[in-house]
Amino acid sequence: MIERTLSLIKPDCVSAKNAGKVIDILEKNGFLIVGMKKIKLSKEAAEGFYAVHKDRPFFKSLTDFMSEGPIVAMVLEKENAITDYRALMGETDSTKAKEGTLRAQFGTDIERNAVHGSDSPDTAKFEIGYFFSELELV
Ligand code: CMP
């Protein structure tokens, strides 16, 4: 089934000038970029995006990190995009992510892990809508 998923290149990866490398890897792995924008999240916008984690001990640190500098938000389209993109990202903890995955290549630890991807079709719907209107998707 052709699916869409939300991908974020996080502030650590953008500031390290690795965004272009990530985009190249995505295209080489068959993901079609149907929406893309570079933005800087406010603290409030980061809190809204990660509201599902609001009771976790890492919420403050995570939302500080996600609002510290620009990110690149993309909508990716592909057969099984959600599962395939999560496999390409690797485990949340960059130090445990398999060799060759985006987090192993560009992440540092469990928080500064370079990229984000939606974890289910329902989450993808919410997350795509958080950043893009239908008119912005090609
Ligand atoms: P992401 O896939 O964007 O989803 C939630 C984010 O919270 C995750 O990547 C990490 O950046 C961060 N995160 C998850 N677990 C932890 C943790 N135990 N400590 C710190 N940050 C975490």
Side-chain angles (χ1 to χ4, degrees):
M1 192 181 47
I2 296 284
E3 284 179 334
R4 288 178 171 184
T5 191
L6 182 86
S7 160
L8 299 180
I9 304 178
K10 297 187 178 186
D12 57 334
C13 192
V14 172
S15 67
K17 299 194 164 62
N18 286 326
K21 288 175 206 151
V22 170
I23 292 165
D24 188 45
I25 292 168
L26 292 174
E27 292 195 323
K28 288 198 166 109
N29 279 271
F31 292 92
L32 188 64
I33 298 168
V34 297
M36 175 155 67
K37 57 176 76 164
K38 185 176 186 181
I39 45 179
K40 184 174 181 300
L41 292 177
S42 65
K43 175 81 171 165
E44 293 69 32
E47 287 171 351
F49 181 72
Y50 280 118
V52 67
H53 296 307
K54 69 178 178 346
D55 296 326
R56 302 284 193 97
F58 56 82
F59 185 66
K60 181 186 180 301
S61 173
L62 170 64
T63 52
D64 282 347
F65 161 51
M66 289 302 293
S67 55
E68 76 181 24
I71 63 168
V72 177
M74 286 174 283
V75 178
L76 307 178
E77 187 175 273
K78 183 186 176 299
E79 185 106 352
N80 299 319
I82 296 171
T83 308
D84 286 3
Y85 180 52
R86 288 182 71 79
L88 185 61
M89 286 194 301
E91 273 196 53
T92 304
D93 186 344
S94 307
T95 66
K96 296 189 179 140
K98 274 198 209 127
E99 203 186 321
T101 61
L102 295 172
R103 284 167 168 164
Q105 290 179 79
F106 305 116
T108 306
D109 55 29
I110 197 166
E111 179 174 273
R112 303 179 76 85
N113 59 358
V115 285
H116 167 85
S118 309
D119 65 5
S120 71
D122 281 350
T123 312
K125 198 164 183 235
F126 165 75
E127 292 186 348
I128 290 169
Y130 199 80
F131 288 102
F132 295 91
S133 73
E134 263 305 313
L135 286 173
E136 295 174 296
L137 302 178
V138 295

